[in-house]
Amino acid sequence: MILRSNTGGTQQTGVTTTIRKRTALSDLDTIRENPEWMPHRLDLQEGEVEFVRLPQSRFAEAGFLFEYRPSHPSDTFRIAVDKLAAFSVPHAPLHFIFHTAFCRSTLLSRALNIRGIAIGLSEPPIIADLASGGEATKGLIRPLLHLLARARPGGEAVFVKPTNHANRLIPQLLDAAPKAHAILMTNSLDPFLRSVRRRGLIGHRWGRKLYLEMQSYAGMDFGMPPEETFAMTDLQTAGAAWLLNQRYFDQLASSRFAERLRVLNGDYFNDSREETIAAVLDFCGLDIGTAKPATEIFAAHAKTGGPVRKQADDQILNEEIGQVRHWVDLIADQIGITVPTAQTLR
């Protein structure tokens, strides 16, 4: 069986699961009692949820949770969807980090792993599965969120950072967790487009698919005939997708959820890391006290764990990004929004 999800600002190519072990009553008791067991994948075709045993130490490591592979078959179990309603566990305060991709949201999620204060879950694939499942997953959102936010011995609150490809699900997630607060994280267009270009053909394809995705639930008429839309450059298309996401965040920030949302600029976070983390925790009703995030998290690339490399200057790329930025700014002015969405986290 192959389960697929697009996540993390890049294309995730298939996740293959061959373990078919189902749960006996004693297994359910074990999973219920141990908070390391977390919902990992949703298989609607089989009507099952795959659980994996995930040590808390994994949350602060580089990369994404969709990449996690249990080291032993006994660390994976599958539970029938119809058993979830009765599968109640104590859960911690839950909050979200929603993002527009390539804006240091992964770094923030990792930095929020502060013992006794909070844990950050970076792109658990179960959220992407909920988003791609449409109406069929509507009744599963609340119980699966409770299981993601399982209470732990340290009493930590849980911050879930879904893939940006699950942004269509933001209203449903906030409704399912009525006490949750959320950070809407973004940054300027230039680093977004540079990240798209850095990923080569896959990045360019990702940008085009993101545009189609955004148009499906947060779309607008750009006033172009189909042939002109098709003729847009890859970076222009990615820029249009970024603009649609800014418009969507702007709408959310003035919606019925407004009091529970704050916008954070990723560039500000990079310049003011400790202040930002303290502000995020304060907004969510948490006191960092004398605790501090692990400084080594900021010394390496949040996604790969390797060194952070500065991209070589490319004059042709600079010119194209400048042209796309000018085009996006003109459209933003016409529709009456500020881009990027202005920071409201204080």
Side-chain angles (χ1 to χ4, degrees), residues 108 111-112 114 269 273-281 288 293 298:
L108 176 62
L112 284 169
I114 305 171
F269 168 48
R273 293 166 177 170
E274 289 191 12
E275 294 89 342
T276 299
I277 292 168
V280 169
L281 295 175
I288 193 171
F298 301 112

Side-chain angles (χ1 to χ4, degrees), residues 95 111-112 114 117-119 157 159 183 274-289 291 293 345:
H95 306 288
L112 284 169
I114 305 171
I117 306 294
I119 63 173
F159 285 82
I183 301 298
E274 289 191 12
E275 294 89 342
T276 299
I277 292 168
V280 169
L281 295 175
D282 181 67
F283 172 59
C284 297
L286 302 169
D287 182 7
I288 193 171
L345 181 70

Side-chain angles (χ1 to χ4, degrees), residues 62-200:
F64 305 104
L65 291 183
F66 72 74
E67 299 169 322
Y68 181 72
R69 303 291 184 272
S71 58
H72 193 275
S74 64
D75 290 336
T76 301
F77 281 106
R78 298 171 68 88
I79 295 176
V81 164
D82 59 13
K83 292 184 179 180
L84 283 182
F87 195 67
S88 178
V89 297
H91 55 91
L94 171 66
H95 306 288
F96 297 101
I97 302 168
F98 302 120
H99 60 100
T100 58
F102 307 134
C103 59
R104 300 187 177 92
S105 58
T106 302
L107 183 62
L108 176 62
S109 175
R110 290 183 61 203
L112 284 169
N113 283 280
I114 305 171
R115 181 69 65 177
I117 306 294
I119 63 173
L121 307 180
S122 182
E123 308 207 3
I126 195 79
I127 301 292
D129 293 340
L130 286 170
S132 63
E135 284 296 311
T137 68
K138 186 176 180 180
L140 300 176
I141 295 175
R142 187 186 300 271
L144 287 173
L145 287 180
H146 285 175
L147 288 164
L148 277 179
R150 299 191 63 165
R152 296 174 182 273
E156 293 92 349
V158 177
F159 285 82
V160 173
K161 182 195 81 108
T163 167
N164 68 294
H165 296 290
N167 280 354
R168 68 168 68 240
L169 205 61
I170 291 176
Q172 292 92 323
L173 292 172
L174 291 172
D175 279 335
K179 295 183 180 179
H181 289 71
I183 301 298
L184 305 179
M185 195 165 180
T186 189
N187 63 351
S188 58
L189 178 61
D190 289 36
F192 177 85
L193 293 180
R194 291 184 190 281
S195 293
V196 170
R197 173 61 62 84
R198 190 181 301 122
R199 285 155 177 78

